[in-house]
């Protein structure tokens, strides 16, 4: 029972499709009872023939046989429709629920789980569960019914013959039971090796540029080959074991028939049973072999589905770290962009990366964050759309605690351009209008001009309709960044966050973009992270971060006067620029 427990979670889906299940079960019962009594018709026909019946009666029996067979096939057809259909519908729901769940997960979740594993859940585990609740349930019920009905009919015909001829059958059953554990363990290993193999392939495909640049093709091929070899090895082991089990079953089933023909034949000669009964007996014995063989398969299927369901449940049980709580004030439906941090701290697990961060930025003002790599700049701005939550301290937006603002509202008003640009394999226009599906074309053009990508797009074959990514053209680093900025601008956010989003753009273009951003929406609060002083010097407030703390703050003028780290960086960058221009 413990094995089945993870599958109990499917209860809500079963309840949803209870009608299908009800009719499926009824059809299973009727079709299998009919199937089991077919030999009985055969028996009557043969016995009657022995007694010399008229030809019309034989035709009648034949017609009866055909009718029962046709009805049985019809019932089986509808049974499959109901049960397999139900399983497919549950698979559909489960996959949708899983995808929905993944969408709720916070950033942290995706750093903790391998993409290959998350994919394997959708492509391997969910179908395995569906297979069990469809085919598994259908065969299990069918087998039970055939087993009960056939065995009863056999015993009523001749108890002793039934018991003796079933001895090798019981041995076959034992073989199935004994080998099951081995099959299940091997299968689990195969599943996990398959997950490793898919993860490897997936990382190789997405990391192809690095692999080529470091001339690691041969190494990668070798390590893939090793993983693949392990996978092959386990599969061969499974195939060998299967071969042995199948052959021994064949021998045991054969033995049953030898016993039946020997003892049954004797019984016919001695007139203890009729010839018709003997024939029926032979057919019934054949009918019983499938339930015995498939019993192991079904148990295996259920175990696999249960292991799959455990994996699915494990992910589905993870609560989104960041979501609306009871303290959320649903009456807030707008934010203007006044941001205040009070003694905020950030930690990943136990690693403290930001401490004691306090600042305030009024609506329409620009905050700039500068500082060495790894100083915590990205971590700081991730707090604003609540991609992560603060470990300590308080963040207020328009005076509301950030946790009291519904996530939807908060994020709808923020335009966020992350440090690593991501574009979907769609057209450029679709990428820019992501999340704003009914955006007008003029609007897309306007933001593309603002981020100066418009001119680049005109040189592409299909301009705004050019496909990008895996199936289309590849944009340059700077073009990608500007496309991502256009995407953020399109939603006309009240808070715009650029995380080093112009790093791949030359200083001249950067200046141009920042200037136009400055004038186009005076009420927009802007947060700009950069490594270049040139991009932050116009900001109203500049924070210099180092080792997770604000070490200098002010505007360009006051920071220069301070002659600290900021001023030092400025001199250094000026010198570099001067050298470049030489
Ligand atoms: N998801 C994460 N899990 C654990 N540690 C993290 C995570 N993200 C960042 N860190 C760590 O937090 C520290 C600050 O990282 P952060 O990305 O905020 O730096 P940054 O100032 O943006 O650097 P850069 O200028 O290189 O972008 C680093 O030491 C980094 O290793
Ligand atoms: Mg960063």
């Amino acid at each position: 029972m413990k094995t089945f427990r993870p599958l109990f979670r499917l209860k809500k889906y079963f309840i949803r499709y209870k009608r299908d299940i009800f009719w499926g079960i009824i059809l299973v019962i009727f079709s299998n009872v009919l199937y089991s009594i077919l030999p009985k018709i055969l028996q009557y026909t043969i016995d009657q023939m022995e007694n010399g019946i008229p030809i019309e009666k034989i035709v009648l029996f034949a017609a009866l046989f055909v009718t029962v067979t046709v009805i049985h096939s019809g019932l089986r057809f509808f049974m499959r429709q109901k049960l397999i259909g139900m399983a497919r519908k549950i698979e559909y729901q489960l996959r949708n629920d899983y995808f929905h769940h993944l969408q709720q997960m916070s950033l942290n979740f995706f750093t903790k789980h391998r993409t290959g594993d998350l994919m394997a859940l959708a492509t391997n585990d969910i179908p395995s569960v569906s297979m069990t609740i469809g085919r598994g349930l259908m065969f299990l019920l069918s087998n039970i019914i055939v087993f009960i009905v056939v065995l009863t009919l056999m015993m009523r015909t001749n108890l002793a013959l039934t018991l003796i001829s079933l001895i090798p059958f019981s041995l076959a059953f034992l073989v199935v039971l004994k080998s099951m554990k081995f099959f299940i363990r091997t299968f689990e290993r195969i599943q996990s090796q398959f997950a490793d193999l898919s993860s490897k392939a997936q990382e190789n495909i997405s990391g192809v540029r690095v692999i080529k640049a470091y001339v690691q093709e041969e190494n990668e091929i070798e390590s893939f080959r090793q993983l693949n070899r392990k996978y092959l090895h386990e599969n061969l082991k499974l195939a060998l074991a299967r071969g042995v089990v199948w052959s021994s079953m064949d021998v045991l089933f054969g033995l049953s028939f030898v016993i039946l023909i020997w003892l049954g034949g004797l019984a016919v000669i001695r007139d203890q049973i009729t010839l018709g009964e003997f024939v029926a007996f032979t057919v019934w014995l054949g009918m019983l072999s499938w339930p015995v063989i498939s019993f192991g398969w079904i148990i295996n299927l259920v175990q696999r589905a249960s292991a799959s369901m455990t994996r699915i449940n494990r992910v589905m049980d993870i609560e989104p770290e960041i979501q609306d709580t009871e303290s959320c004030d649903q009456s807030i439906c707008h934010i203007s962009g006044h941001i205040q941090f009070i003694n905020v701290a950030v930690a990943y697990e136990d690693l403290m990366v930001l401490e004691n961060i306090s600042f305030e930025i009024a609506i329409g003002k620009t905050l700039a964050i500068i500082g060495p790599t790894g100083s915590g700049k990205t971590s700081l701005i991730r707090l604003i759309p609540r991609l992560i939550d603060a470990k300590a301290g308080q963040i207020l937006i328009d005076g509301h605690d950030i946790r009291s603002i519904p996530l939807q509202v908060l994020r709808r008003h923020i335009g966020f351009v992350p440090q690593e640009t991501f574009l979907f394999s769609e057209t450029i226009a679709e990428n820019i209008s992501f999340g704003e599906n009914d955006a007008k074309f003029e609007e897309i053009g306007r933001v593309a001009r603002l981020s100066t990508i418009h001119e680049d797009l005109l040189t592409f074959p299909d301009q705004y309709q050019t496909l990008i990514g895996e199936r289309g053209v590849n944009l340059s680093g700077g073009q990608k960044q500007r496309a991502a900025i256009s995407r953020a601008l399109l939603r006309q956010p009240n808070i715009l966050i650029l995380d080093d989003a112009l790093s791949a753009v030359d200083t001249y273009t950067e200046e141009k973009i920042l200037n136009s951003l400055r004038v186009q929406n005076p009420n927009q609060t802007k947060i700009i992270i950069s490594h270049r002083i040139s991009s932050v010097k116009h900001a109203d407030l500049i924070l210099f971060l180092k080792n997770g703390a604000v070490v200098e703050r002010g505007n360009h003028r006051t920071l220069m006067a301070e002659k600290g780290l900021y001023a030092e960086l400025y001199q250094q960058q000026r010198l570099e620029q001067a050298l470049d221009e030489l």
Side-chain angles (χ1 to χ4, degrees), residues 252-285:
L252 290 168
F253 287 142
L255 214 61
S256 270
F257 279 99
V258 170
I259 294 175
L260 176 64
I261 290 167
W262 179 33
L263 296 179
L266 277 178
V268 174
I269 293 166
R270 290 179 189 149
D271 271 342
Q272 285 157 340
I273 58 170
T274 66
L275 185 64
E277 282 173 332
F278 175 74
V279 172
F281 227 91
T282 321
V283 181
W284 277 325
L285 201 62

mmCIF file of all heavy atoms in Angstrom, residues 252-285:
data_model
loop_
_atom_site.group_PDB
_atom_site.id
_atom_site.type_symbol
_atom_site.label_atom_id
_atom_site.label_comp_id
_atom_site.label_asym_id
_atom_site.label_seq_id
_atom_site.Cartn_x
_atom_site.Cartn_y
_atom_site.Cartn_z
ATOM 1 N N LEU A 252 7.594 -23.064 -18.603
ATOM 2 C CA LEU A 252 6.603 -23.435 -17.583
ATOM 3 C C LEU A 252 5.197 -23.521 -18.169
ATOM 4 O O LEU A 252 4.433 -24.439 -17.850
ATOM 5 C CB LEU A 252 6.655 -22.439 -16.424
ATOM 6 C CG LEU A 252 7.928 -22.555 -15.574
ATOM 7 C CD1 LEU A 252 8.062 -21.380 -14.634
ATOM 8 C CD2 LEU A 252 7.904 -23.857 -14.780
ATOM 9 N N PHE A 253 4.882 -22.567 -19.055
ATOM 10 C CA PHE A 253 3.548 -22.631 -19.686
ATOM 11 C C PHE A 253 3.435 -23.899 -20.532
ATOM 12 O O PHE A 253 2.407 -24.586 -20.534
ATOM 13 C CB PHE A 253 3.307 -21.402 -20.569
ATOM 14 C CG PHE A 253 3.059 -20.154 -19.768
ATOM 15 C CD1 PHE A 253 3.572 -18.944 -20.186
ATOM 16 C CD2 PHE A 253 2.326 -20.196 -18.594
ATOM 17 C CE1 PHE A 253 3.355 -17.780 -19.457
ATOM 18 C CE2 PHE A 253 2.112 -19.048 -17.851
ATOM 19 C CZ PHE A 253 2.630 -17.854 -18.282
ATOM 20 N N GLY A 254 4.506 -24.190 -21.244
ATOM 21 C CA GLY A 254 4.524 -25.404 -22.071
ATOM 22 C C GLY A 254 4.261 -26.638 -21.217
ATOM 23 O O GLY A 254 3.480 -27.516 -21.592
ATOM 24 N N LEU A 255 4.884 -26.657 -20.052
ATOM 25 C CA LEU A 255 4.728 -27.776 -19.124
ATOM 26 C C LEU A 255 3.264 -27.944 -18.713
ATOM 27 O O LEU A 255 2.738 -29.059 -18.625
ATOM 28 C CB LEU A 255 5.587 -27.489 -17.883
ATOM 29 C CG LEU A 255 6.220 -28.687 -17.203
ATOM 30 C CD1 LEU A 255 7.157 -29.396 -18.171
ATOM 31 C CD2 LEU A 255 6.989 -28.235 -15.966
ATOM 32 N N SER A 256 2.602 -26.816 -18.473
ATOM 33 C CA SER A 256 1.186 -26.852 -18.108
ATOM 34 C C SER A 256 0.385 -27.543 -19.198
ATOM 35 O O SER A 256 -0.491 -28.369 -18.923
ATOM 36 C CB SER A 256 0.657 -25.422 -17.966
ATOM 37 O OG SER A 256 0.834 -24.994 -16.658
ATOM 38 N N PHE A 257 0.691 -27.196 -20.452
ATOM 39 C CA PHE A 257 -0.054 -27.796 -21.549
ATOM 40 C C PHE A 257 0.246 -29.290 -21.690
ATOM 41 O O PHE A 257 -0.649 -30.083 -21.996
ATOM 42 C CB PHE A 257 0.230 -27.055 -22.863
ATOM 43 C CG PHE A 257 -0.584 -25.797 -22.966
ATOM 44 C CD1 PHE A 257 -0.025 -24.567 -22.653
ATOM 45 C CD2 PHE A 257 -1.926 -25.845 -23.330
ATOM 46 C CE1 PHE A 257 -0.779 -23.421 -22.708
ATOM 47 C CE2 PHE A 257 -2.682 -24.693 -23.397
ATOM 48 C CZ PHE A 257 -2.109 -23.462 -23.080
ATOM 49 N N VAL A 258 1.508 -29.652 -21.421
ATOM 50 C CA VAL A 258 1.863 -31.075 -21.474
ATOM 51 C C VAL A 258 1.011 -31.841 -20.457
ATOM 52 O O VAL A 258 0.385 -32.858 -20.778
ATOM 53 C CB VAL A 258 3.374 -31.266 -21.164
ATOM 54 C CG1 VAL A 258 3.686 -32.757 -20.979
ATOM 55 C CG2 VAL A 258 4.215 -30.694 -22.291
ATOM 56 N N ILE A 259 0.949 -31.285 -19.242
ATOM 57 C CA ILE A 259 0.156 -31.944 -18.189
ATOM 58 C C ILE A 259 -1.307 -32.043 -18.613
ATOM 59 O O ILE A 259 -1.959 -33.083 -18.491
ATOM 60 C CB ILE A 259 0.282 -31.172 -16.855
ATOM 61 C CG1 ILE A 259 1.723 -31.253 -16.347
ATOM 62 C CG2 ILE A 259 -0.687 -31.709 -15.814
ATOM 63 C CD1 ILE A 259 1.982 -30.435 -15.104
ATOM 64 N N LEU A 260 -1.807 -30.946 -19.169
ATOM 65 C CA LEU A 260 -3.223 -30.908 -19.549
ATOM 66 C C LEU A 260 -3.511 -31.946 -20.630
ATOM 67 O O LEU A 260 -4.491 -32.693 -20.545
ATOM 68 C CB LEU A 260 -3.595 -29.512 -20.030
ATOM 69 C CG LEU A 260 -5.023 -29.381 -20.554
ATOM 70 C CD1 LEU A 260 -6.026 -29.641 -19.445
ATOM 71 C CD2 LEU A 260 -5.257 -28.012 -21.158
ATOM 72 N N ILE A 261 -2.623 -31.983 -21.648
ATOM 73 C CA ILE A 261 -2.879 -32.910 -22.756
ATOM 74 C C ILE A 261 -2.761 -34.367 -22.273
ATOM 75 O O ILE A 261 -3.590 -35.219 -22.607
ATOM 76 C CB ILE A 261 -1.934 -32.623 -23.937
ATOM 77 C CG1 ILE A 261 -2.342 -31.277 -24.561
ATOM 78 C CG2 ILE A 261 -2.006 -33.720 -24.996
ATOM 79 C CD1 ILE A 261 -1.346 -30.703 -25.531
ATOM 80 N N TRP A 262 -1.812 -34.585 -21.435
ATOM 81 C CA TRP A 262 -1.609 -35.941 -20.922
ATOM 82 C C TRP A 262 -2.785 -36.366 -20.032
ATOM 83 O O TRP A 262 -3.518 -37.299 -20.344
ATOM 84 C CB TRP A 262 -0.271 -35.981 -20.162
ATOM 85 C CG TRP A 262 0.053 -37.319 -19.559
ATOM 86 C CD1 TRP A 262 -0.265 -38.555 -20.057
ATOM 87 C CD2 TRP A 262 0.753 -37.531 -18.328
ATOM 88 N NE1 TRP A 262 0.214 -39.540 -19.234
ATOM 89 C CE2 TRP A 262 0.839 -38.951 -18.155
ATOM 90 C CE3 TRP A 262 1.321 -36.707 -17.369
ATOM 91 C CZ2 TRP A 262 1.462 -39.514 -17.042
ATOM 92 C CZ3 TRP A 262 1.942 -37.276 -16.281
ATOM 93 C CH2 TRP A 262 2.019 -38.673 -16.120
ATOM 94 N N LEU A 263 -2.985 -35.638 -18.948
ATOM 95 C CA LEU A 263 -4.042 -36.030 -17.999
ATOM 96 C C LEU A 263 -5.434 -35.788 -18.573
ATOM 97 O O LEU A 263 -6.341 -36.603 -18.392
ATOM 98 C CB LEU A 263 -3.872 -35.276 -16.677
ATOM 99 C CG LEU A 263 -2.588 -35.598 -15.901
ATOM 100 C CD1 LEU A 263 -2.513 -34.785 -14.624
ATOM 101 C CD2 LEU A 263 -2.541 -37.092 -15.555
ATOM 102 N N GLY A 264 -5.575 -34.654 -19.270
ATOM 103 C CA GLY A 264 -6.879 -34.329 -19.870
ATOM 104 C C GLY A 264 -7.227 -35.355 -20.934
ATOM 105 O O GLY A 264 -8.376 -35.823 -21.015
ATOM 106 N N GLY A 265 -6.233 -35.719 -21.775
ATOM 107 C CA GLY A 265 -6.469 -36.712 -22.820
ATOM 108 C C GLY A 265 -6.936 -38.031 -22.208
ATOM 109 O O GLY A 265 -7.914 -38.627 -22.669
ATOM 110 N N LEU A 266 -6.224 -38.424 -21.135
ATOM 111 C CA LEU A 266 -6.620 -39.654 -20.439
ATOM 112 C C LEU A 266 -8.058 -39.561 -19.931
ATOM 113 O O LEU A 266 -8.855 -40.498 -20.064
ATOM 114 C CB LEU A 266 -5.687 -39.904 -19.247
ATOM 115 C CG LEU A 266 -4.362 -40.600 -19.549
ATOM 116 C CD1 LEU A 266 -3.534 -40.739 -18.269
ATOM 117 C CD2 LEU A 266 -4.630 -41.990 -20.138
ATOM 118 N N ALA A 267 -8.385 -38.393 -19.367
ATOM 119 C CA ALA A 267 -9.736 -38.194 -18.815
ATOM 120 C C ALA A 267 -10.783 -38.286 -19.918
ATOM 121 O O ALA A 267 -11.876 -38.821 -19.704
ATOM 122 C CB ALA A 267 -9.814 -36.833 -18.108
ATOM 123 N N VAL A 268 -10.454 -37.791 -21.124
ATOM 124 C CA VAL A 268 -11.416 -37.873 -22.237
ATOM 125 C C VAL A 268 -11.616 -39.342 -22.622
ATOM 126 O O VAL A 268 -12.754 -39.811 -22.789
ATOM 127 C CB VAL A 268 -10.928 -37.066 -23.455
ATOM 128 C CG1 VAL A 268 -11.852 -37.275 -24.657
ATOM 129 C CG2 VAL A 268 -10.843 -35.584 -23.118
ATOM 130 N N ILE A 269 -10.455 -40.067 -22.726
ATOM 131 C CA ILE A 269 -10.539 -41.484 -23.112
ATOM 132 C C ILE A 269 -11.369 -42.267 -22.100
ATOM 133 O O ILE A 269 -12.204 -43.103 -22.455
ATOM 134 C CB ILE A 269 -9.111 -42.087 -23.228
ATOM 135 C CG1 ILE A 269 -8.389 -41.435 -24.414
ATOM 136 C CG2 ILE A 269 -9.160 -43.607 -23.403
ATOM 137 C CD1 ILE A 269 -6.901 -41.690 -24.437
ATOM 138 N N ARG A 270 -11.166 -41.889 -20.806
ATOM 139 C CA ARG A 270 -11.928 -42.618 -19.757
ATOM 140 C C ARG A 270 -13.331 -42.057 -19.554
ATOM 141 O O ARG A 270 -13.987 -42.367 -18.565
ATOM 142 C CB ARG A 270 -11.166 -42.536 -18.442
ATOM 143 C CG ARG A 270 -9.891 -43.362 -18.460
ATOM 144 C CD ARG A 270 -9.159 -43.236 -17.153
ATOM 145 N NE ARG A 270 -7.846 -43.838 -17.239
ATOM 146 C CZ ARG A 270 -6.787 -43.411 -16.557
ATOM 147 N NH1 ARG A 270 -6.901 -42.380 -15.734
ATOM 148 N NH2 ARG A 270 -5.640 -44.016 -16.688
ATOM 149 N N ASP A 271 -13.708 -41.126 -20.419
ATOM 150 C CA ASP A 271 -15.055 -40.533 -20.349
ATOM 151 C C ASP A 271 -15.324 -39.763 -19.067
ATOM 152 O O ASP A 271 -16.464 -39.606 -18.633
ATOM 153 C CB ASP A 271 -16.136 -41.620 -20.521
ATOM 154 C CG ASP A 271 -16.463 -41.806 -21.992
ATOM 155 O OD1 ASP A 271 -16.122 -40.873 -22.776
ATOM 156 O OD2 ASP A 271 -17.024 -42.853 -22.344
ATOM 157 N N GLN A 272 -14.209 -39.283 -18.442
ATOM 158 C CA GLN A 272 -14.427 -38.468 -17.232
ATOM 159 C C GLN A 272 -14.802 -37.041 -17.610
ATOM 160 O O GLN A 272 -15.514 -36.346 -16.899
ATOM 161 C CB GLN A 272 -13.160 -38.458 -16.367
ATOM 162 C CG GLN A 272 -12.973 -39.780 -15.639
ATOM 163 C CD GLN A 272 -11.527 -40.022 -15.251
ATOM 164 O OE1 GLN A 272 -10.611 -39.438 -15.794
ATOM 165 N NE2 GLN A 272 -11.332 -40.924 -14.299
ATOM 166 N N ILE A 273 -14.267 -36.559 -18.742
ATOM 167 C CA ILE A 273 -14.713 -35.272 -19.278
ATOM 168 C C ILE A 273 -15.013 -35.446 -20.764
ATOM 169 O O ILE A 273 -14.522 -36.392 -21.394
ATOM 170 C CB ILE A 273 -13.651 -34.143 -19.094
ATOM 171 C CG1 ILE A 273 -12.315 -34.518 -19.758
ATOM 172 C CG2 ILE A 273 -13.444 -33.764 -17.660
ATOM 173 C CD1 ILE A 273 -11.327 -33.368 -19.828
ATOM 174 N N THR A 274 -15.795 -34.504 -21.286
ATOM 175 C CA THR A 274 -16.127 -34.607 -22.712
ATOM 176 C C THR A 274 -15.012 -33.964 -23.528
ATOM 177 O O THR A 274 -14.188 -33.202 -22.989
ATOM 178 C CB THR A 274 -17.445 -33.880 -23.026
ATOM 179 O OG1 THR A 274 -17.222 -32.487 -22.791
ATOM 180 C CG2 THR A 274 -18.580 -34.376 -22.167
ATOM 181 N N LEU A 275 -15.043 -34.215 -24.838
ATOM 182 C CA LEU A 275 -14.030 -33.625 -25.716
ATOM 183 C C LEU A 275 -14.179 -32.093 -25.734
ATOM 184 O O LEU A 275 -13.200 -31.349 -25.706
ATOM 185 C CB LEU A 275 -14.199 -34.182 -27.136
ATOM 186 C CG LEU A 275 -13.128 -33.731 -28.123
ATOM 187 C CD1 LEU A 275 -11.753 -34.254 -27.714
ATOM 188 C CD2 LEU A 275 -13.458 -34.229 -29.545
ATOM 189 N N GLY A 276 -15.428 -31.659 -25.718
ATOM 190 C CA GLY A 276 -15.710 -30.209 -25.703
ATOM 191 C C GLY A 276 -15.095 -29.565 -24.472
ATOM 192 O O GLY A 276 -14.460 -28.499 -24.546
ATOM 193 N N GLU A 277 -15.257 -30.221 -23.345
ATOM 194 C CA GLU A 277 -14.692 -29.681 -22.103
ATOM 195 C C GLU A 277 -13.171 -29.606 -22.199
ATOM 196 O O GLU A 277 -12.554 -28.650 -21.758
ATOM 197 C CB GLU A 277 -15.100 -30.542 -20.917
ATOM 198 C CG GLU A 277 -16.530 -30.277 -20.473
ATOM 199 C CD GLU A 277 -17.004 -31.251 -19.387
ATOM 200 O OE1 GLU A 277 -16.500 -32.397 -19.335
ATOM 201 O OE2 GLU A 277 -17.867 -30.852 -18.597
ATOM 202 N N PHE A 278 -12.597 -30.640 -22.792
ATOM 203 C CA PHE A 278 -11.134 -30.682 -22.951
ATOM 204 C C PHE A 278 -10.651 -29.488 -23.792
ATOM 205 O O PHE A 278 -9.696 -28.801 -23.432
ATOM 206 C CB PHE A 278 -10.727 -32.007 -23.600
ATOM 207 C CG PHE A 278 -9.257 -32.090 -23.916
ATOM 208 C CD1 PHE A 278 -8.312 -32.275 -22.901
ATOM 209 C CD2 PHE A 278 -8.803 -31.961 -25.221
ATOM 210 C CE1 PHE A 278 -6.957 -32.337 -23.193
ATOM 211 C CE2 PHE A 278 -7.448 -32.019 -25.517
ATOM 212 C CZ PHE A 278 -6.524 -32.204 -24.500
ATOM 213 N N VAL A 279 -11.361 -29.253 -24.910
ATOM 214 C CA VAL A 279 -10.972 -28.132 -25.782
ATOM 215 C C VAL A 279 -11.118 -26.804 -25.032
ATOM 216 O O VAL A 279 -10.224 -25.953 -25.034
ATOM 217 C CB VAL A 279 -11.809 -28.138 -27.079
ATOM 218 C CG1 VAL A 279 -11.549 -26.878 -27.895
ATOM 219 C CG2 VAL A 279 -11.493 -29.369 -27.903
ATOM 220 N N ALA A 280 -12.264 -26.664 -24.357
ATOM 221 C CA ALA A 280 -12.502 -25.425 -23.600
ATOM 222 C C ALA A 280 -11.392 -25.231 -22.566
ATOM 223 O O ALA A 280 -10.860 -24.121 -22.398
ATOM 224 C CB ALA A 280 -13.856 -25.468 -22.923
ATOM 225 N N PHE A 281 -11.042 -26.308 -21.930
ATOM 226 C CA PHE A 281 -9.989 -26.269 -20.909
ATOM 227 C C PHE A 281 -8.670 -25.747 -21.484
ATOM 228 O O PHE A 281 -7.988 -24.912 -20.890
ATOM 229 C CB PHE A 281 -9.769 -27.710 -20.403
ATOM 230 C CG PHE A 281 -9.707 -27.793 -18.929
ATOM 231 C CD1 PHE A 281 -10.857 -28.026 -18.188
ATOM 232 C CD2 PHE A 281 -8.511 -27.621 -18.254
ATOM 233 C CE1 PHE A 281 -10.810 -28.108 -16.807
ATOM 234 C CE2 PHE A 281 -8.454 -27.679 -16.880
ATOM 235 C CZ PHE A 281 -9.608 -27.922 -16.151
ATOM 236 N N THR A 282 -8.331 -26.266 -22.673
ATOM 237 C CA THR A 282 -7.080 -25.859 -23.320
ATOM 238 C C THR A 282 -7.098 -24.353 -23.596
ATOM 239 O O THR A 282 -6.129 -23.637 -23.344
ATOM 240 C CB THR A 282 -6.905 -26.610 -24.655
ATOM 241 O OG1 THR A 282 -7.339 -27.938 -24.470
ATOM 242 C CG2 THR A 282 -5.481 -26.577 -25.126
ATOM 243 N N VAL A 283 -8.250 -23.884 -24.122
ATOM 244 C CA VAL A 283 -8.335 -22.450 -24.438
ATOM 245 C C VAL A 283 -8.240 -21.616 -23.152
ATOM 246 O O VAL A 283 -7.541 -20.605 -23.085
ATOM 247 C CB VAL A 283 -9.649 -22.141 -25.201
ATOM 248 C CG1 VAL A 283 -9.729 -20.665 -25.543
ATOM 249 C CG2 VAL A 283 -9.727 -22.973 -26.476
ATOM 250 N N TRP A 284 -8.916 -22.056 -22.105
ATOM 251 C CA TRP A 284 -8.889 -21.302 -20.834
ATOM 252 C C TRP A 284 -7.466 -21.211 -20.278
ATOM 253 O O TRP A 284 -7.043 -20.157 -19.811
ATOM 254 C CB TRP A 284 -9.799 -21.983 -19.800
ATOM 255 C CG TRP A 284 -11.246 -21.591 -19.943
ATOM 256 C CD1 TRP A 284 -11.723 -20.380 -20.317
ATOM 257 C CD2 TRP A 284 -12.380 -22.432 -19.714
ATOM 258 N NE1 TRP A 284 -13.092 -20.385 -20.339
ATOM 259 C CE2 TRP A 284 -13.531 -21.640 -19.964
ATOM 260 C CE3 TRP A 284 -12.557 -23.765 -19.319
ATOM 261 C CZ2 TRP A 284 -14.821 -22.129 -19.838
ATOM 262 C CZ3 TRP A 284 -13.841 -24.240 -19.179
ATOM 263 C CH2 TRP A 284 -14.964 -23.437 -19.447
ATOM 264 N N LEU A 285 -6.778 -22.331 -20.374
ATOM 265 C CA LEU A 285 -5.407 -22.332 -19.851
ATOM 266 C C LEU A 285 -4.573 -21.277 -20.586
ATOM 267 O O LEU A 285 -3.793 -20.532 -19.977
ATOM 268 C CB LEU A 285 -4.788 -23.719 -20.021
ATOM 269 C CG LEU A 285 -3.599 -24.026 -19.115
ATOM 270 C CD1 LEU A 285 -3.999 -23.998 -17.653
ATOM 271 C CD2 LEU A 285 -2.997 -25.391 -19.449
#
